[in-house]
Amino acid sequence: MSRAVKQQQSMSVKPFKILKEYQYAHTAISELLHEIDTPDPQLVYLYGPSGCGKTALMTSILPEFIELHPGLSLKLITASEFAAKFAAASTNNRIPEFQRKFRSLDLLILEDIQSLANRVQTQRELLSLLDEIMKQGGRVLISSTNPPGELLHFQKKLVNRFHGGVCALISPLKYQSRLELLTFWANFEQIHIQKKELSSIAHKKAISPRELYALLTQLQTVSHINQEPINSQFVKQYLEGNIETPKTSISKISKAVCREFKTSLQEIRSANRSQQIVIPRQCAMFLSRELTKESLAKIADYFNRKNHSTVIHAYRQIQRDLKKSPGLRQQVSRIKQRLGIYLF
């Protein structure tokens, strides 16, 4: 099995619909990925506000790319993760190995490039990497919240590489597109809600597709917990924040975290200090402190920690990471969504 197929199988892709606001970007990405020979240009730079659907759009086309190009290698990674891997390779004197892994890629998808602001060495490495990938006929897909010309503290040569590709904007969804997307998702998820109620949600405010999806599925969760139908009155009370938030517990939070991170309660309550376990454990501690009234000592005891200072450290660490990691923010939002906790 190719690395590309393994990568795709590990992705969590929710149903996606090509709306009017996505059409140009969708065409640009399709041409980049569907071309059998080396595409021209070889780079697409996708930009728009956080949550506008950049990741969903990119990953929705990947299965077709894998089918058309069996055996090719791809990697989808955030710019923050790329910077962390480069820093680790530099610290451990493993730069050549790092370069071999990335420069051999046939498709690199790098998300949230704006997070590399002021990272001079990482920008230089990325510039060299892009040149090498494209020299070998590879393809590059970049996403950002800003157009290339508004990337502050970036090397001019790197910005020029972005300008040299196709730059595609995804605009915030208008009312009709929000309604169309909500209707599509409600049908897919088999949520029993009338078009009138969907219209009320779509009219609420110009929120992102990610927030719309979270709101809709969260509405279903709260309806199920409260055993109430999703009618006009229920939707109105929910949107106004007048429905009591379902109570949760350390146990429920931990199970939701394990589901999101694909691990087990046994692991996050163990002494395992691997990064794959530390992050979900810290998230569970963070949310337990944020969403319950339990004492720090009780939270620490649940996770088999001797001192409540571990919980304080975890809380502060996740607070810091949430500011710089869009991926982690999405994961925490999905966990809250599963728990029926309001996101607005």
Side-chain angles (χ1 to χ4, degrees):
M1 185 182 294
S2 73
R3 282 182 288 164
V5 175
K6 291 179 181 178
Q7 176 85 19
Q8 174 61 15
Q9 286 181 337
S10 69
M11 293 174 186
S12 177
V13 182
K14 62 175 175 277
F16 192 73
K17 185 175 180 64
I18 306 302
L19 303 166
K20 181 174 65 175
E21 291 84 352
Y22 298 143
Q23 287 175 354
Y24 177 68
H26 179 264
T27 299
I29 298 172
S30 294
E31 291 181 357
L32 176 78
L33 300 186
H34 287 173
E35 180 62 52
I36 298 298
D37 299 318
T38 301
D40 184 20
Q42 293 168 254
L43 184 147
V44 170
Y45 184 98
L46 192 64
Y47 66 99
S50 180
C52 70
K54 298 186 292 295
T55 298
L57 176 58
M58 293 187 294
T59 54
S60 70
I61 305 175
L62 281 182
E64 298 173 28
F65 172 79
I66 293 169
E67 187 175 347
L68 282 171
H69 307 278
L72 295 190
S73 59
L74 73 87
K75 187 165 188 66
L76 189 156
I77 188 170
T78 67
S80 294
E81 290 170 337
F82 177 84
K85 288 181 181 294
F86 176 65
S90 179
T91 300
N92 297 318
N93 296 316
R94 302 181 73 173
I95 292 292
E97 181 182 341
F98 169 87
Q99 291 174 334
R100 282 195 299 272
K101 286 182 179 179
F102 277 92
R103 294 183 182 187
S104 63
L105 292 173
D106 298 294
L107 171 63
L108 170 65
I109 302 177
L110 192 60
E111 297 190 275
D112 297 304
I113 196 70
Q114 73 281 349
S115 65
L116 294 188
N118 287 316
R119 294 176 181 263
V120 178
Q121 293 301 321
T122 306
Q123 289 178 28
R124 287 176 182 166
E125 180 63 30
L126 177 60
L127 177 62
S128 177
L129 168 63
L130 297 183
D131 287 345
E132 190 65 29
I133 288 177
M134 291 190 283
K135 179 182 177 181
Q136 297 172 171
R139 305 150 206 246
V140 179
L141 188 50
I142 304 282
S143 77
S144 175
T145 55
N146 308 100
E150 294 181 12
L151 288 173
L152 301 178
H153 310 296
F154 268 72
Q155 289 192 4
K156 186 176 180 180
K157 285 186 178 180
L158 187 55
V159 172
N160 287 341
R161 293 295 185 280
F162 300 153
H163 275 303
V166 175
C167 296
L169 166 67
I170 295 183
S171 303
L173 301 185
K174 295 181 179 179
Y175 161 75
Q176 193 57 46
S177 292
R178 295 198 296 272
L179 178 58
E180 189 178 338
L181 194 56
L182 283 167
T183 303
F184 171 74
W185 278 334
N187 290 335
F188 184 89
E189 300 288 356
Q190 298 183 325
I191 299 174
H192 300 292
I193 182 171
Q194 300 299 312
K195 189 169 183 177
K196 180 182 176 182
E197 281 68 58
L198 290 174
S199 179
S200 296
I201 297 171
H203 266 305
K204 183 177 184 293
K205 57 182 176 179
I207 58 178
S208 70
R210 182 191 303 155
E211 292 168 319
L212 283 175
Y213 185 80
L215 196 157
L216 183 63
T217 53
Q218 192 178 53
L219 186 65
Q220 181 188 38
T221 300
V222 176
S223 168
H224 176 74
I225 292 173
N226 292 355
Q227 297 185 328
E228 293 186 50
I230 308 177
N231 53 30
S232 296
Q233 182 180 1
F234 183 82
V235 171
K236 183 175 184 295
Q237 290 179 323
Y238 177 82
L239 293 176
E240 292 175 351
N242 293 327
I243 294 178
E244 185 177 351
T245 302
K247 293 181 180 179
T248 190
S249 64
I250 303 174
S251 175
K252 289 180 181 178
I253 290 169
S254 298
K255 289 175 182 177
V257 168
C258 289
R259 181 180 172 188
E260 174 63 31
F261 286 92
K262 295 180 174 59
T263 186
S264 66
L265 276 175
Q266 181 180 357
E267 284 284 7
I268 67 170
R269 298 177 73 187
S270 72
N272 190 329
R273 292 182 178 273
S274 70
Q275 192 73 354
Q276 291 82 359
I277 302 302
V278 168
I279 292 177
R281 180 188 296 134
Q282 289 181 335
C283 274
M285 290 182 179
F286 170 83
L287 290 170
S288 294
R289 184 182 179 190
E290 188 179 65
L291 302 178
T292 73
K293 296 181 180 179
E294 301 293 357
S295 67
L296 294 174
K298 187 166 184 179
I299 296 172
D301 183 63
Y302 180 86
F303 292 98
N304 298 312
R305 264 55 199 173
K306 296 179 180 179
N307 198 311
H308 69 269
S309 63
T310 306
V311 180
I312 296 174
H313 170 73
Y315 185 85
R316 290 173 178 169
Q317 183 63 51
I318 295 299
Q319 270 190 323
R320 288 192 294 268
D321 291 346
L322 286 171
K323 292 178 182 178
K324 60 184 180 182
S325 174
L328 182 61
R329 288 199 295 271
Q330 290 180 41
Q331 289 177 301
V332 170
S333 291
R334 285 195 294 266
I335 294 166
K336 288 183 177 181
Q337 172 190 324
R338 289 193 182 104
L339 295 168
I341 306 299
Y342 295 133
L343 299 178
F344 56 90

